[in-house]
Amino acid sequence: MSRSTVRDAPDGASPSPGGPVRRQRGASPSRARTRSAASPAATVTLTGRGGIVVMFGTGLVCALLSRWFGVPLLAGGGFAIGCVLAAFATRPSDLLTLVVSPPLVFFTATFAAVFVTTLGEGSLLRGLTVGVLTALAATAPWLFFGTLLVLVITLFRGLPANVRELRGKLVGVRLFEKDEAENPVRWDESPSSGQDRRLHHGEVD
């Protein structure tokens, strides 16, 4: 057998006795397909905190632009867009954290935008109070719309499984507390302490 024949043999192929090695057709493409199937496409996933940051950042930027240009629709629409992005990008295990966050995130972004745009314009406390109340009154429907969008999207992405998991944890904690209440461990009573008490009573008698 010549060295060229052995050198031409692909991985996993054995040279046939007395003849050249036959190349396995399609070996390299199949391996390439296997490697591509083994390595899934990289997708952007956020934690629950990351999703909250996305909602807050989008809502804050759009709220600032809304106050600077006098377009209330921009603040509400930007917050709704941030809710959609966060609902699709957050990993399924943190969806429950994301669902309960839109109202607080919306209020915080609105307060921050009003605070930034009110600095240096007379009374800060009065400006904050009037500005926050006015902004909330103008964009309140968008708050409910963004919260509804997050709820609907997360329902299809695994929110019911998170609720069931949380319910199971709460039930487990309650059962554990119930067992502890029914069978309390009394560390103050031990066999040695009982014998000491009997001896003490015998000496007194």
Side-chain angles (χ1 to χ4, degrees), residues 76-93:
F79 176 74
I81 293 174
C83 289
V84 173
L85 293 176
F88 276 114
T90 303
R91 61 188 182 188
S93 59

mmCIF file of all heavy atoms in Angstrom, residues 76-93:
data_model
loop_
_atom_site.group_PDB
_atom_site.id
_atom_site.type_symbol
_atom_site.label_atom_id
_atom_site.label_comp_id
_atom_site.label_asym_id
_atom_site.label_seq_id
_atom_site.Cartn_x
_atom_site.Cartn_y
_atom_site.Cartn_z
ATOM 1 N N GLY A 76 -46.173 57.815 25.386
ATOM 2 C CA GLY A 76 -46.940 56.581 25.520
ATOM 3 C C GLY A 76 -46.553 55.530 24.493
ATOM 4 O O GLY A 76 -46.397 54.349 24.822
ATOM 5 N N GLY A 77 -46.378 55.949 23.242
ATOM 6 C CA GLY A 77 -45.992 54.992 22.206
ATOM 7 C C GLY A 77 -44.614 54.405 22.447
ATOM 8 O O GLY A 77 -44.388 53.207 22.224
ATOM 9 N N GLY A 78 -43.684 55.227 22.911
ATOM 10 C CA GLY A 78 -42.347 54.704 23.218
ATOM 11 C C GLY A 78 -42.366 53.705 24.350
ATOM 12 O O GLY A 78 -41.657 52.688 24.311
ATOM 13 N N PHE A 79 -43.192 53.975 25.366
ATOM 14 C CA PHE A 79 -43.293 53.017 26.468
ATOM 15 C C PHE A 79 -43.882 51.699 25.989
ATOM 16 O O PHE A 79 -43.425 50.620 26.390
ATOM 17 C CB PHE A 79 -44.158 53.606 27.576
ATOM 18 C CG PHE A 79 -44.395 52.664 28.713
ATOM 19 C CD1 PHE A 79 -43.386 52.379 29.631
ATOM 20 C CD2 PHE A 79 -45.625 52.037 28.873
ATOM 21 C CE1 PHE A 79 -43.602 51.497 30.678
ATOM 22 C CE2 PHE A 79 -45.844 51.156 29.917
ATOM 23 C CZ PHE A 79 -44.840 50.891 30.825
ATOM 24 N N ALA A 80 -44.878 51.739 25.128
ATOM 25 C CA ALA A 80 -45.475 50.506 24.598
ATOM 26 C C ALA A 80 -44.459 49.716 23.779
ATOM 27 O O ALA A 80 -44.395 48.473 23.864
ATOM 28 C CB ALA A 80 -46.698 50.841 23.751
ATOM 29 N N ILE A 81 -43.651 50.414 22.998
ATOM 30 C CA ILE A 81 -42.611 49.726 22.218
ATOM 31 C C ILE A 81 -41.596 49.063 23.138
ATOM 32 O O ILE A 81 -41.152 47.930 22.912
ATOM 33 C CB ILE A 81 -41.925 50.726 21.264
ATOM 34 C CG1 ILE A 81 -42.908 51.193 20.194
ATOM 35 C CG2 ILE A 81 -40.692 50.091 20.609
ATOM 36 C CD1 ILE A 81 -42.361 52.283 19.300
ATOM 37 N N GLY A 82 -41.203 49.775 24.205
ATOM 38 C CA GLY A 82 -40.276 49.173 25.164
ATOM 39 C C GLY A 82 -40.866 47.944 25.837
ATOM 40 O O GLY A 82 -40.156 46.959 26.084
ATOM 41 N N CYS A 83 -42.161 47.972 26.121
ATOM 42 C CA CYS A 83 -42.813 46.800 26.717
ATOM 43 C C CYS A 83 -42.769 45.606 25.771
ATOM 44 O O CYS A 83 -42.504 44.465 26.192
ATOM 45 C CB CYS A 83 -44.260 47.134 27.070
ATOM 46 S SG CYS A 83 -44.446 48.273 28.467
ATOM 47 N N VAL A 84 -43.026 45.829 24.503
ATOM 48 C CA VAL A 84 -43.003 44.736 23.523
ATOM 49 C C VAL A 84 -41.597 44.161 23.387
ATOM 50 O O VAL A 84 -41.400 42.934 23.364
ATOM 51 C CB VAL A 84 -43.530 45.236 22.163
ATOM 52 C CG1 VAL A 84 -43.340 44.166 21.090
ATOM 53 C CG2 VAL A 84 -44.997 45.607 22.266
ATOM 54 N N LEU A 85 -40.597 45.029 23.288
ATOM 55 C CA LEU A 85 -39.217 44.548 23.166
ATOM 56 C C LEU A 85 -38.805 43.729 24.387
ATOM 57 O O LEU A 85 -38.182 42.670 24.258
ATOM 58 C CB LEU A 85 -38.267 45.742 22.989
ATOM 59 C CG LEU A 85 -38.394 46.537 21.687
ATOM 60 C CD1 LEU A 85 -37.461 47.739 21.703
ATOM 61 C CD2 LEU A 85 -38.099 45.650 20.490
ATOM 62 N N ALA A 86 -39.140 44.216 25.572
ATOM 63 C CA ALA A 86 -38.770 43.498 26.791
ATOM 64 C C ALA A 86 -39.503 42.170 26.895
ATOM 65 O O ALA A 86 -38.927 41.161 27.321
ATOM 66 C CB ALA A 86 -39.073 44.363 28.014
ATOM 67 N N ALA A 87 -40.764 42.134 26.494
ATOM 68 C CA ALA A 87 -41.540 40.889 26.589
ATOM 69 C C ALA A 87 -41.000 39.820 25.645
ATOM 70 O O ALA A 87 -41.017 38.623 25.975
ATOM 71 C CB ALA A 87 -43.004 41.169 26.274
ATOM 72 N N PHE A 88 -40.497 40.210 24.488
ATOM 73 C CA PHE A 88 -39.967 39.230 23.537
ATOM 74 C C PHE A 88 -38.523 38.841 23.858
ATOM 75 O O PHE A 88 -38.101 37.722 23.526
ATOM 76 C CB PHE A 88 -40.020 39.781 22.109
ATOM 77 C CG PHE A 88 -41.350 39.593 21.449
ATOM 78 C CD1 PHE A 88 -42.129 40.698 21.123
ATOM 79 C CD2 PHE A 88 -41.833 38.337 21.164
ATOM 80 C CE1 PHE A 88 -43.360 40.537 20.523
ATOM 81 C CE2 PHE A 88 -43.067 38.166 20.553
ATOM 82 C CZ PHE A 88 -43.836 39.266 20.230
ATOM 83 N N ALA A 89 -37.749 39.731 24.480
ATOM 84 C CA ALA A 89 -36.322 39.464 24.694
ATOM 85 C C ALA A 89 -36.020 38.849 26.050
ATOM 86 O O ALA A 89 -34.938 38.296 26.236
ATOM 87 C CB ALA A 89 -35.516 40.758 24.546
ATOM 88 N N THR A 90 -36.924 38.908 27.009
ATOM 89 C CA THR A 90 -36.658 38.369 28.342
ATOM 90 C C THR A 90 -36.765 36.848 28.315
ATOM 91 O O THR A 90 -37.657 36.289 27.670
ATOM 92 C CB THR A 90 -37.659 38.944 29.361
ATOM 93 O OG1 THR A 90 -37.555 40.367 29.339
ATOM 94 C CG2 THR A 90 -37.354 38.451 30.756
ATOM 95 N N ARG A 91 -35.872 36.179 29.022
ATOM 96 C CA ARG A 91 -35.888 34.718 29.035
ATOM 97 C C ARG A 91 -37.133 34.214 29.759
ATOM 98 O O ARG A 91 -37.662 34.872 30.666
ATOM 99 C CB ARG A 91 -34.624 34.186 29.712
ATOM 100 C CG ARG A 91 -34.449 34.609 31.149
ATOM 101 C CD ARG A 91 -33.095 34.195 31.667
ATOM 102 N NE ARG A 91 -32.924 34.552 33.078
ATOM 103 C CZ ARG A 91 -31.774 34.429 33.733
ATOM 104 N NH1 ARG A 91 -30.698 33.968 33.092
ATOM 105 N NH2 ARG A 91 -31.687 34.772 35.009
ATOM 106 N N PRO A 92 -37.630 33.042 29.382
ATOM 107 C CA PRO A 92 -38.906 32.555 29.929
ATOM 108 C C PRO A 92 -38.925 32.394 31.444
ATOM 109 O O PRO A 92 -39.980 32.543 32.062
ATOM 110 C CB PRO A 92 -39.089 31.197 29.233
ATOM 111 C CG PRO A 92 -38.332 31.321 27.954
ATOM 112 C CD PRO A 92 -37.150 32.178 28.279
ATOM 113 N N SER A 93 -37.795 32.105 32.064
ATOM 114 C CA SER A 93 -37.792 31.890 33.510
ATOM 115 C C SER A 93 -38.011 33.174 34.308
ATOM 116 O O SER A 93 -38.314 33.113 35.498
ATOM 117 C CB SER A 93 -36.464 31.253 33.936
ATOM 118 O OG SER A 93 -35.372 32.085 33.587
#
